[in-house]
Amino acid sequence: MTNEKIREAVRTSVAEALGVEEDEVTPDATLMEELGAESIDLLDILFRIERSIGVKIQAADLSEYVQGGIPDEGPDAAQEGHAATGR
């Protein structure tokens, strides 16, 4: 898979998960501040990317790049975190 196809898969996954237009998803756009993602959305994006390019991505490998981190336990852990914070 070429880098361009990977970028397109990421752009499409982010747009679909967040309900934004693909042209809003740029390399400079921040997921949480500019595109409005919440922590549960980050897992959805991750799973969509995995399905579209056929690879397994460890959330822990990405967490240092994402403001607020990515829950490492899957969707249930993220929902438990929302319950704990009242979100």
Side-chain angles (χ1 to χ4, degrees), residues 19-84:
V20 299
E21 297 295 323
E22 282 193 32
D23 63 348
E24 293 179 67
V25 182
T26 65
D28 296 328
T30 59
L31 288 171
M32 299 181 99
E33 290 181 22
E34 294 176 12
L35 298 177
E38 296 183 4
S39 61
I40 191 72
D41 295 319
L42 301 177
L43 287 172
D44 185 19
I45 293 166
L46 182 68
F47 296 144
R48 287 172 186 263
I49 293 169
E50 288 178 338
R51 281 192 306 265
S52 66
I53 63 175
V55 299
K56 178 70 177 150
I57 303 168
Q58 295 297 319
D61 294 339
L62 299 177
S63 64
E64 68 186 73
Y65 299 103
V66 179
Q67 175 188 3
I70 299 175
D72 207 19
E73 305 295 318
D76 293 335
Q79 289 175 344
E80 289 170 9
H82 282 302

